[in-house]
Amino acid sequence: MIVGAGFIGSVHAAAVRGVGATVRGVVGSTPSRSAALAEEWNVPARYPDLAAVLADDAVDVVHICTPNALHADQAVAAMRAGKHVICEKPIATSIADAERLAAVSAETGRTLAVPYVYRYHPLVREIRARRMSGDFGAWQLLHGSYLQDWMLDTGTTNWRVDAARGGPSRAFADIGSHWCDLVEWVAGVRFHEVTARLGVTIPARPAGSGDTFSPNSGTSSEPNGPNGPESGTNGAAPDGLRPVSTEDVAAVLLRTADGVLGSLTVSQVSAGRKNRLWFELDGADGSAVFDQENPESVWLGDAEGARLLVRDPGRGSAEQRRLATLPPGHTQGYGDCFRAFVDDAYSAMAGHQVEGLPTAADGVRSAHLVDAVLRADDSLAWTVVERAPARM
Amino acid sequence: MIVGAGFIGSVHAAAVRGVGATVRGVVGSTPSRSAALAEEWNVPARYPDLAAVLADDAVDVVHICTPNALHADQAVAAMRAGKHVICEKPIATSIADAERLAAVSAETGRTLAVPYVYRYHPLVREIRARRMSGDFGAWQLLHGSYLQDWMLDTGTTNWRVDAARGGPSRAFADIGSHWCDLVEWVAGVRFHEVTARLGVTIPARPAGSGDTFSPNSGTSSEPNGPNGPESGTNGAAPDGLRPVSTEDVAAVLLRTADGVLGSLTVSQVSAGRKNRLWFELDGADGSAVFDQENPESVWLGDAEGARLLVRDPGRGSAEQRRLATLPPGHTQGYGDCFRAFVDDAYSAMAGHQVEGLPTAADGVRSAHLVDAVLRADDSLAWTVVERAPARM
Amino acid sequence: MIVGAGFIGSVHAAAVRGVGATVRGVVGSTPSRSAALAEEWNVPARYPDLAAVLADDAVDVVHICTPNALHADQAVAAMRAGKHVICEKPIATSIADAERLAAVSAETGRTLAVPYVYRYHPLVREIRARRMSGDFGAWQLLHGSYLQDWMLDTGTTNWRVDAARGGPSRAFADIGSHWCDLVEWVAGVRFHEVTARLGVTIPARPAGSGDTFSPNSGTSSEPNGPNGPESGTNGAAPDGLRPVSTEDVAAVLLRTADGVLGSLTVSQVSAGRKNRLWFELDGADGSAVFDQENPESVWLGDAEGARLLVRDPGRGSAEQRRLATLPPGHTQGYGDCFRAFVDDAYSAMAGHQVEGLPTAADGVRSAHLVDAVLRADDSLAWTVVERAPARM
Amino acid sequence: MIVGAGFIGSVHAAAVRGVGATVRGVVGSTPSRSAALAEEWNVPARYPDLAAVLADDAVDVVHICTPNALHADQAVAAMRAGKHVICEKPIATSIADAERLAAVSAETGRTLAVPYVYRYHPLVREIRARRMSGDFGAWQLLHGSYLQDWMLDTGTTNWRVDAARGGPSRAFADIGSHWCDLVEWVAGVRFHEVTARLGVTIPARPAGSGDTFSPNSGTSSEPNGPNGPESGTNGAAPDGLRPVSTEDVAAVLLRTADGVLGSLTVSQVSAGRKNRLWFELDGADGSAVFDQENPESVWLGDAEGARLLVRDPGRGSAEQRRLATLPPGHTQGYGDCFRAFVDDAYSAMAGHQVEGLPTAADGVRSAHLVDAVLRADDSLAWTVVERAPARM
């Protein structure tokens, strides 16, 4: 059951089908939009709105793909109705809401899975397994970037531009949060303090089709990434430009309690960069580089140069082998990644133990990081992320 | 309905599900293997053998993924039983059998689709569209390679090693044929003559689990590519080594009737190469390079250097946009490619017009190329491929 | 005339010969070292020490390649003796000393050239020329890194490790300063404020051959980069380990007065990274990426992906053409770069106008940046670089 | 002493200076051209013609950089006059002339060095050293290409286009010969037989400035590669187009006496390719890939993917260390390569033993390969290169 019908909604739908489950329906921002989507996706037009979904006992899982500000209330309602939830990130636009979600998940025993899907690239798991085996030694430096260009066109807008709907952080919360989740999980660290500077490089954008995405009016969503067929590009906004309050770029420094430094550059306005999540983990005994746009190999630096390791179902760590479903050279992509996440989420919902599924706790962690980055940009000071950070 | 259960069988099954169709069953090399596969793939154990499949009116399409020597008879039987067929390449191990398939397809009106799936990479279509628009000018040279390493281990064997089951050509027929199909289709050429030299670099391999794949005993298949979970690697063959008669490497020169030169290098024993289908098309007004292992961008050479063009659902030719289902930077892989092929094949079977679906005629063309390469290697002379080549 | 005989001294010597000038002599840390070097480099053993050099009217230019703390006094002495100077960076280990050098240069009319040689890669000049033509539009973000691994071995030491000889900053002053010089010059910006965090990841290193490089004892120098034949690697230090006070890694955020954000990551302990000076300049109308380890092409990002532009003496901007002395594909390297710098420096000394020669003012600017980074790391606050930054 | 003043003449001159030797003069195609060149290169205008050079006892070595058809007679004259010779490749345009050169070299005891300079990339030597240590095992396949685009412009011409001056083969003799020399030397093989097809893709070109380069009128030469400042591009030929008889592209298959297959694709009309000499050597125990345009690292394929090995003066084989004069990451280029060749050539002339210097015997070998390729293209048959090939 999918709620929200932007680009990411269709990715969820494909993944659900890919794991052999059934998409029972889709809910858009209005009953008529729901009906239209049902036809477009070739699913029954069963549900005019979320309430109808929650009343249907045949629904096991609700996928929430709406604008960020709607996530928390919808996910709470779904869990209280006995449904498991896959909720798009950020799961909430405040720490309080994120913690509420975690509490409801614990209380109801319903799983809340969060699609930090880049954890499901097989070679990401390989790097993590090698880190856990001590291959890299003590971390010297953790750095990287997440760069896109879909917001570079000054005529492009999106519900994310509006802090009331997307939350007070845009570039960092939307994509920087992916990087932090991934690097903390792979490297086995928690960043204790941050400093950051956010920048709005395009100070005004078209007003956008406001009603469509109003929090009051429904549940439709928009592309996670760029250029989806339902992109909010709006070259000729009838109602003119509105000031932008959420950042296009973010420059962030990070530091663990043990003194390991990190650096992250985030941008949605870097021409030619499409979805470049890239990290380098430099350890005393070797380095590892992963590039989400070329996920079929990793670069493992050493004194002689580097090793290029390819994804391979017949080699490497158990988790890499589990997720590598095609022979090397037969590329796995973003869809395979997403499908593996949904597969594991469903397994967890069925009571099985799975490795590395991002859940409510990870969503809470992310909310703290977003909040700390905003505070750091505001105070221009190094800022502690969480007084007592969760232990891994 | 899938017949044959190696690596490529599972790829077919995933694609069938991915397009929203139903896998009604699977047939292995024996009734007990069929039952085991049905359980493994989570499909009903309906069919002990192919005859049972063909007798079932609920089956619309039969996917044939068995060893090469079985393709022709099985596909003919399926078409005569009124089924459409997706038949793995090579569709036959002789020109005569390939032509028989084409004739039966024409006679019965059943579609025979052949998974030359690399045609379904969006950027492959972009290059083709630009060629059709005249962007590259007169061809100067067409060259490339298809390199793998899965047969480099001297302990690896496979039914393909046995000419009786795999056909008289191995490396060229299995992967070189993909390259020829792709380059002829993209560049809009027919190679009129070839010269070639084949090499068996590993003269003996383990005897393999012969009975399993005997033409007499059933329909199971083996990996199309390397290292599949059911790979025929056989480090400790109980019955010793057998001489290998099919080539590990092939070096081929090609030439169109208009004098355009081509060169193709094929290998299954190039260490570190996993599935590197790579081509460069050099025209008077520009060049194009495609690498199947990095299918998300193409290199378009010009006097200043090159343009790197990325896959993008919002830009480029109609066919590129149609097949680009994810935003740029969210990688599409081999599975997406295969699924798009199955989708188009099913559309064609439903009577719709589709662009660039490889069918029986392409399988016949390939049989001619395989035959010409074998003759050239035998005669050590330049060899005409087809007296009167089919027009494109 | 070369003073100082480490790796970089030999690079200077090669460049001097490459432009057709004569190396009249070399001075090492002691008279006997001077004599040994003269023999090794095949130059006359004319000068026991710097004083002897300065007394020789036949010497036009003195190249100062000694440990950093010696630069200022030696350069002042040389200029006061009427010599032009090429002084290794950093030209001084304090702002005051750097400004003294600039003042003496102005007062004496002697040129002080500083080898920020990466300005002399032809394609660096091409990017700059395009920026000056307005090709990139308003800057959105300026980011990158300078990564090496030669200090990752805990047994490696070097005079730079000792703040008394190398100055209070190591990684940033040595290589981060190159990045800042290059990016400010290419992008046409001045960073107004910075915040930074420095890290000593290897807290103790072998004591090193202290006497050799004592400021009291002479003028010898050590490798600019890693693994030179005279590297200070010292696996078995007789006198044990000493604590390290200068940084191995530096994470820096930068911001222009106009609000353009920058980010720079610097490391001498990133395994597999040899001399990776890399920057990305993201503008409203396009991006530019330069990688010093692959300087023969640049990546120019745009909405469709990117253009790869190659160095070419027959195309592009006047400065690119001037410095591109070999046809494309015949790689120019670091030595060519250095030689072009020396050629321009000598031209300037001969009274000719040259474009982009780094001089004392650039050395002063760098001293301010180093100082600001140290202050920022100390205060943990955003820190203004210069109250009244020089205009470009 | 340089004879011939095209692009490659200036490369020779820079290399001579780079090794600390003196360019005593330069001879162009006419006395007035000689004088002009002497001024341009800043050398004394001593020699009106070659005879004057040969009469000067102060000249030790003559560098012959004239059009190919002039090489043999000039080199013979120089050796008979007691000079050592560095003669551009091909050393002659016929086997007979090449053998004559080898005989005169033997008879006179004068060294004839041939700038197959790609042997002087440090990592090329590393691959060779590893092959000699048995790292790669039995060769499975040797393949690659040498691609340029400088002849793609139909308005470009050059003395090489004219078989009377450049010899009967152009693309293969000029650049394909480099590939063959390099691969035979690195891989330790001799190709016993070849088949080939040559193509003239641009059948007519401007007539060119015939007199300048007439064999009768002097000794000047033209670019080895593309776009040199004295390129023969001639967009508006006053005397119209002339038919082209030498090939733009060559497709070649090769085979050793032991049955190892090779494939080589050569082109001067591949848009975007500047000087792409690329080879892959596939062995039973690993593969090696070298790309002349990115000579600072090599790709060593194995089952897990590959190792990227960087040039490093502190690691690897003795020859790699000897030629690696800069730390890794400080790129060495074509000029460094050429200088190392000249350095070794001069050492050999001084009676020292050097490793891997290409001499007259290599020039003779190349003449046989060129001849065999021409014969194969003519006969359309597999063709033996040499009845009794020289042993390595």
Side-chain angles (χ1 to χ4, degrees):
Chain A
M1 174 56 227
I2 316 283
V3 182
F7 148 67
I8 203 66
S10 67
V11 169
H12 281 251
V16 170
R17 284 174 167 149
V19 302
T22 304
V23 180
R24 286 188 53 80
V26 56
V27 175
S29 49
T30 62
S32 65
R33 178 88 176 120
S34 298
L37 282 165
E39 176 160 350
E40 182 185 330
W41 291 13
N42 196 27
V43 295
R46 288 191 176 96
Y47 311 109
D49 55 24
L50 182 57
V53 172
L54 301 186
D56 183 352
D57 284 352
V59 170
D60 295 317
V61 189
V62 177
H63 291 245
I64 296 177
C65 308
T66 52
N68 301 342
L70 304 177
H71 293 171
D73 288 348
Q74 293 176 340
V76 165
M79 288 189 286
R80 294 221 179 277
K83 313 301 186 194
H84 294 290
V85 170
I86 295 185
C87 180
E88 266 301 325
K89 32 64 45 181
I91 60 172
T93 55
S94 71
I95 294 173
D97 270 351
E99 289 180 338
R100 181 161 59 101
L101 281 176
V104 172
S105 174
E107 176 195 324
T108 59
R110 300 293 87 186
T111 295
L112 179 83
V114 189
Y116 290 116
V117 293
Y118 300 122
R119 292 189 186 187
Y120 283 85
H121 278 299
L123 287 173
V124 161
R125 303 237 161 181
E126 181 68 19
I127 299 173
R128 183 170 181 261
R130 291 181 178 222
R131 183 267 299 169
M132 293 171 84
S133 301
D135 285 19
F136 300 110
W139 292 129
Q140 308 288 302
L141 187 64
L142 309 169
H143 54 108
S145 57
Y146 199 150
L147 308 174
Q148 300 181 331
D149 69 359
W150 69 297
M151 295 297 287
L152 184 56
D153 184 334
T154 55
T156 297
T157 193
N158 187 277
W159 56 255
R160 286 178 178 79
V161 168
D162 178 358
R165 287 175 283 179
S169 165
R170 181 180 9 120
F172 182 79
D174 189 23
I175 57 177
S177 63
H178 266 299
W179 191 95
C180 290
D181 177 79
L182 196 61
V183 167
E184 289 198 336
W185 185 70
V186 171
V189 301
R190 288 274 159 159
F191 292 113
H192 175 65
E193 52 178 341
V194 301
T195 195
R197 202 80 181 242
L198 308 181
V200 178
T201 62
I202 298 174
R205 292 182 183 272
S209 42
D211 292 343
T212 310
F213 306 112
S214 157
N216 303 324
S217 69
T219 53
S220 181
S221 178
E222 266 303 286
N224 177 39
N227 307 333
E230 312 199 27
S231 161
T233 299
N234 212 327
D239 47 352
L241 298 177
R242 291 187 192 167
V244 171
S245 63
T246 56
E247 80 276 6
D248 295 298
V249 298
V252 185
L253 302 186
L254 310 107
R255 194 167 181 273
T256 70
D258 296 334
V260 176
L261 290 179
S263 177
L264 166 62
T265 305
V266 180
S267 167
Q268 296 179 325
V269 289
S270 293
R273 300 303 189 183
K274 299 306 175 184
N275 196 38
R276 187 174 169 86
L277 186 168
W278 184 98
F279 66 71
E280 175 169 337
L281 312 179
D282 296 328
D285 299 326
S287 303
V289 173
F290 177 75
D291 174 4
Q292 193 278 141
E293 294 186 335
N294 295 287
E296 294 283 286
S297 67
V298 290
W299 184 95
L300 300 173
D302 59 30
E304 289 190 344
R307 164 154 286 290
L308 290 179
L309 190 77
V310 298
R311 184 185 53 71
D312 191 333
R315 294 175 191 276
S317 64
E319 282 293 296
Q320 195 268 151
R321 294 166 74 120
R322 180 173 76 89
L323 296 177
T325 55
L326 293 175
H330 296 75
T331 58
Q332 294 185 203
Y334 179 80
D336 299 289
C337 207
F338 210 100
R339 192 160 44 246
F341 159 73
V342 169
D343 208 11
D344 265 18
Y346 286 8
S347 287
M349 291 164 185
H352 301 296
Q353 191 73 22
V354 294
E355 174 79 14
L357 179 72
T359 60
D362 301 293
V364 171
R365 170 65 183 165
S366 186
H368 280 287
L369 280 161
V370 171
D371 184 71
V373 162
L374 287 165
R375 284 186 286 132
D377 177 58
D378 198 48
S379 66
L380 300 184
W382 281 87
T383 302
V384 170
V385 179
E386 296 183 70
R387 283 299 150 191
R391 284 294 114 201
M392 276 165 294
Chain B
M1 173 57 227
I2 316 285
V3 182
F7 147 69
I8 204 66
S10 67
V11 169
H12 280 251
V16 170
R17 284 173 167 150
V19 302
T22 305
V23 180
R24 287 187 53 81
V26 57
V27 175
S29 49
T30 63
S32 65
R33 178 90 176 118
S34 297
L37 280 165
E39 177 160 349
E40 182 185 330
W41 291 14
N42 195 27
V43 295
R46 287 191 177 97
Y47 312 108
D49 56 22
L50 182 58
V53 173
L54 301 186
D56 183 353
D57 284 352
V59 169
D60 296 318
V61 188
V62 177
H63 290 245
I64 296 176
C65 309
T66 53
N68 301 341
L70 304 178
H71 292 171
D73 287 348
Q74 292 176 341
V76 164
M79 288 189 286
R80 293 221 180 277
K83 313 300 186 194
H84 294 290
V85 171
I86 295 186
C87 181
E88 266 300 326
K89 29 66 44 185
I91 59 171
T93 54
S94 71
I95 294 173
D97 271 349
E99 289 180 337
R100 181 162 60 101
L101 281 176
V104 172
S105 174
E107 174 195 325
T108 61
R110 300 294 88 188
T111 295
L112 179 85
V114 189
Y116 289 117
V117 293
Y118 299 121
R119 294 189 185 186
Y120 283 84
H121 278 299
L123 288 174
V124 161
R125 302 237 163 181
E126 181 68 18
I127 298 172
R128 183 168 182 262
R130 291 181 179 221
R131 183 267 299 169
M132 292 171 85
S133 300
D135 284 20
F136 300 110
W139 293 128
Q140 308 288 302
L141 187 63
L142 309 170
H143 54 109
S145 57
Y146 198 151
L147 307 175
Q148 300 181 330
D149 70 359
W150 69 298
M151 295 298 287
L152 184 56
D153 183 333
T154 55
T156 296
T157 193
N158 184 278
W159 55 255
R160 285 178 179 79
V161 168
D162 179 356
R165 286 175 285 180
S169 166
R170 179 177 15 117
F172 183 79
D174 190 23
I175 57 177
S177 63
H178 266 301
W179 191 96
C180 290
D181 176 79
L182 197 60
V183 167
E184 289 198 337
W185 185 70
V186 171
V189 301
R190 289 274 156 158
F191 292 113
H192 175 65
E193 51 178 341
V194 301
T195 195
R197 202 81 182 239
L198 309 180
V200 179
T201 63
I202 298 174
R205 293 182 182 270
S209 42
D211 291 344
T212 310
F213 306 112
S214 156
N216 303 325
S217 69
T219 54
S220 181
S221 179
E222 266 302 285
N224 176 38
N227 307 333
E230 312 198 26
S231 160
T233 299
N234 211 326
D239 45 353
L241 298 176
R242 292 190 193 164
V244 171
S245 63
T246 56
E247 80 278 5
D248 296 297
V249 297
V252 184
L253 303 185
L254 310 108
R255 193 166 181 273
T256 70
D258 297 334
V260 176
L261 288 180
S263 177
L264 167 62
T265 305
V266 180
S267 168
Q268 294 179 325
V269 290
S270 292
R273 299 304 189 183
K274 300 306 177 183
N275 197 36
R276 187 173 169 87
L277 186 169
W278 184 99
F279 66 71
E280 175 169 339
L281 312 180
D282 297 328
D285 300 326
S287 301
V289 172
F290 177 76
D291 173 4
Q292 192 279 138
E293 294 187 334
N294 295 286
E296 294 283 287
S297 66
V298 291
W299 183 96
L300 300 174
D302 58 31
E304 289 190 345
R307 164 154 287 288
L308 290 178
L309 191 76
V310 298
R311 183 186 54 71
D312 191 333
R315 294 177 191 276
S317 65
E319 281 293 294
Q320 196 268 151
R321 295 165 75 121
R322 179 172 77 90
L323 296 178
T325 56
L326 292 174
H330 296 75
T331 57
Q332 293 185 201
Y334 179 79
D336 299 289
C337 207
F338 210 99
R339 192 160 43 248
F341 159 74
V342 170
D343 208 11
D344 265 18
Y346 287 9
S347 286
M349 291 164 185
H352 302 297
Q353 191 73 24
V354 293
E355 174 79 14
L357 179 72
T359 60
D362 301 293
V364 171
R365 170 65 183 166
S366 186
H368 280 287
L369 280 160
V370 171
D371 183 72
V373 162
L374 288 165
R375 284 185 287 131
D377 178 59
D378 198 50
S379 66
L380 300 183
W382 281 87
T383 303
V384 170
V385 179
E386 297 183 70
R387 284 297 152 193
R391 283 294 115 200
M392 279 166 290
Chain C
M1 173 57 228
I2 316 284
V3 182
F7 148 68
I8 204 66
S10 67
V11 169
H12 281 252
V16 170
R17 284 174 167 149
V19 302
T22 304
V23 181
R24 286 188 53 81
V26 57
V27 175
S29 50
T30 62
S32 66
R33 178 88 177 120
S34 297
L37 280 166
E39 177 161 348
E40 181 186 329
W41 290 14
N42 197 28
V43 295
R46 289 190 175 96
Y47 311 108
D49 55 23
L50 182 58
V53 173
L54 301 187
D56 182 353
D57 284 351
V59 170
D60 295 317
V61 188
V62 177
H63 290 245
I64 297 177
C65 309
T66 54
N68 302 340
L70 304 178
H71 293 172
D73 288 349
Q74 293 176 341
V76 165
M79 288 189 286
R80 292 219 180 278
K83 312 301 185 194
H84 294 289
V85 171
I86 294 186
C87 181
E88 265 301 325
K89 30 65 44 184
I91 60 171
T93 56
S94 70
I95 294 173
D97 270 351
E99 289 179 337
R100 181 161 60 102
L101 281 176
V104 173
S105 173
E107 176 194 325
T108 60
R110 299 293 88 188
T111 294
L112 179 84
V114 189
Y116 289 116
V117 293
Y118 300 122
R119 293 190 187 186
Y120 283 85
H121 279 299
L123 288 174
V124 160
R125 303 236 160 181
E126 181 68 20
I127 298 172
R128 182 170 183 260
R130 291 181 178 220
R131 183 267 299 169
M132 294 172 84
S133 300
D135 284 20
F136 301 110
W139 292 128
Q140 309 287 303
L141 187 64
L142 308 170
H143 55 108
S145 56
Y146 198 150
L147 308 174
Q148 300 181 332
D149 70 358
W150 70 297
M151 295 298 286
L152 184 56
D153 184 334
T154 56
T156 297
T157 193
N158 185 275
W159 56 255
R160 285 178 179 79
V161 168
D162 179 356
R165 286 175 286 178
S169 165
R170 183 181 8 121
F172 182 79
D174 190 22
I175 57 176
S177 63
H178 266 300
W179 191 95
C180 290
D181 177 78
L182 197 59
V183 167
E184 288 197 339
W185 184 70
V186 172
V189 300
R190 288 274 157 159
F191 292 113
H192 175 64
E193 51 178 342
V194 301
T195 196
R197 201 81 180 242
L198 309 180
V200 178
T201 64
I202 298 174
R205 293 183 182 270
S209 41
D211 291 345
T212 309
F213 306 112
S214 155
N216 303 326
S217 69
T219 53
S220 182
S221 177
E222 265 303 285
N224 177 38
N227 306 333
E230 311 198 26
S231 162
T233 298
N234 210 328
D239 46 351
L241 297 176
R242 292 189 193 164
V244 170
S245 63
T246 55
E247 81 278 5
D248 295 298
V249 298
V252 185
L253 301 187
L254 310 107
R255 194 165 180 272
T256 69
D258 297 333
V260 176
L261 289 179
S263 177
L264 166 62
T265 305
V266 179
S267 168
Q268 295 179 325
V269 289
S270 293
R273 300 303 189 183
K274 299 306 175 184
N275 197 37
R276 186 173 170 85
L277 186 168
W278 185 99
F279 66 71
E280 175 170 338
L281 312 180
D282 296 328
D285 300 326
S287 301
V289 172
F290 177 75
D291 174 3
Q292 192 277 139
E293 294 187 334
N294 294 287
E296 294 284 286
S297 66
V298 291
W299 183 97
L300 299 173
D302 58 31
E304 290 189 345
R307 164 153 286 288
L308 290 178
L309 190 76
V310 299
R311 183 185 54 70
D312 192 332
R315 294 176 191 276
S317 64
E319 282 293 295
Q320 196 268 153
R321 295 165 75 121
R322 179 173 76 90
L323 296 178
T325 55
L326 292 175
H330 297 75
T331 59
Q332 294 185 201
Y334 179 80
D336 299 289
C337 207
F338 211 100
R339 191 160 44 247
F341 159 74
V342 170
D343 208 11
D344 265 17
Y346 286 8
S347 285
M349 292 164 184
H352 301 296
Q353 191 72 24
V354 293
E355 174 79 14
L357 180 72
T359 60
D362 301 292
V364 171
R365 170 66 184 165
S366 186
H368 280 287
L369 280 161
V370 171
D371 183 71
V373 162
L374 288 164
R375 284 185 287 132
D377 178 58
D378 198 50
S379 65
L380 299 183
W382 281 88
T383 302
V384 170
V385 178
E386 296 183 71
R387 284 297 151 192
R391 285 293 116 199
M392 275 165 294
Chain D
M1 174 55 228
I2 315 286
V3 182
F7 147 68
I8 203 66
S10 65
V11 169
H12 281 251
V16 170
R17 285 173 167 150
V19 301
T22 305
V23 180
R24 286 187 53 81
V26 57
V27 175
S29 49
T30 62
S32 65
R33 177 91 177 118
S34 298
L37 280 166
E39 176 160 350
E40 182 185 328
W41 291 13
N42 196 28
V43 295
R46 288 189 176 97
Y47 310 109
D49 56 23
L50 182 58
V53 173
L54 301 186
D56 182 353
D57 285 351
V59 170
D60 295 318
V61 188
V62 177
H63 291 245
I64 296 176
C65 309
T66 53
N68 302 340
L70 304 177
H71 292 171
D73 287 350
Q74 292 176 340
V76 164
M79 289 189 286
R80 294 221 178 277
K83 313 302 184 192
H84 294 290
V85 170
I86 295 186
C87 181
E88 266 301 325
K89 30 66 46 183
I91 59 171
T93 54
S94 71
I95 295 173
D97 270 349
E99 289 180 337
R100 180 161 61 102
L101 281 176
V104 172
S105 173
E107 175 195 325
T108 60
R110 300 294 87 186
T111 295
L112 179 84
V114 189
Y116 289 116
V117 292
Y118 300 122
R119 293 188 185 188
Y120 282 85
H121 279 298
L123 288 173
V124 160
R125 302 236 163 182
E126 181 68 20
I127 298 172
R128 183 169 182 261
R130 292 182 177 221
R131 182 268 299 171
M132 293 170 84
S133 300
D135 285 19
F136 300 110
W139 293 128
Q140 309 288 303
L141 187 64
L142 309 169
H143 54 110
S145 56
Y146 199 151
L147 307 175
Q148 300 180 331
D149 70 358
W150 69 298
M151 295 298 287
L152 184 56
D153 184 334
T154 55
T156 297
T157 193
N158 186 277
W159 56 256
R160 286 178 178 78
V161 168
D162 178 357
R165 286 175 284 178
S169 166
R170 179 176 16 116
F172 182 79
D174 188 23
I175 57 177
S177 63
H178 265 301
W179 192 95
C180 290
D181 177 79
L182 196 61
V183 167
E184 289 198 337
W185 184 70
V186 171
V189 300
R190 288 274 158 160
F191 293 112
H192 175 64
E193 51 179 340
V194 300
T195 196
R197 201 80 180 241
L198 309 180
V200 178
T201 64
I202 298 174
R205 295 183 181 271
S209 43
D211 291 345
T212 309
F213 306 112
S214 156
N216 303 325
S217 68
T219 53
S220 181
S221 179
E222 265 303 285
N224 176 39
N227 307 331
E230 312 199 26
S231 163
T233 299
N234 212 326
D239 46 353
L241 298 175
R242 290 187 193 169
V244 170
S245 63
T246 56
E247 79 278 6
D248 296 297
V249 298
V252 184
L253 303 185
L254 310 107
R255 193 165 181 274
T256 70
D258 297 334
V260 177
L261 289 180
S263 178
L264 166 62
T265 305
V266 180
S267 168
Q268 295 179 325
V269 289
S270 292
R273 300 304 189 183
K274 298 306 175 183
N275 197 36
R276 188 174 169 85
L277 186 168
W278 185 99
F279 66 71
E280 175 169 339
L281 312 180
D282 297 327
D285 300 326
S287 301
V289 172
F290 177 76
D291 174 4
Q292 194 278 138
E293 294 186 335
N294 295 285
E296 293 284 286
S297 67
V298 291
W299 183 96
L300 299 173
D302 58 31
E304 289 189 344
R307 165 154 285 290
L308 289 179
L309 190 77
V310 298
R311 183 185 54 70
D312 191 334
R315 293 176 190 277
S317 63
E319 281 293 295
Q320 195 268 151
R321 295 165 74 121
R322 178 173 76 90
L323 296 178
T325 56
L326 292 174
H330 297 75
T331 58
Q332 294 185 202
Y334 179 79
D336 299 289
C337 208
F338 211 99
R339 192 160 43 246
F341 158 74
V342 169
D343 209 11
D344 265 18
Y346 286 8
S347 287
M349 291 163 184
H352 302 296
Q353 191 72 23
V354 294
E355 174 78 16
L357 180 72
T359 59
D362 302 291
V364 170
R365 170 65 183 166
S366 186
H368 280 288
L369 280 160
V370 170
D371 184 71
V373 161
L374 288 164
R375 283 185 288 131
D377 177 59
D378 197 50
S379 66
L380 300 183
W382 281 88
T383 302
V384 170
V385 179
E386 296 183 69
R387 284 296 150 193
R391 285 293 113 200
M392 275 164 295

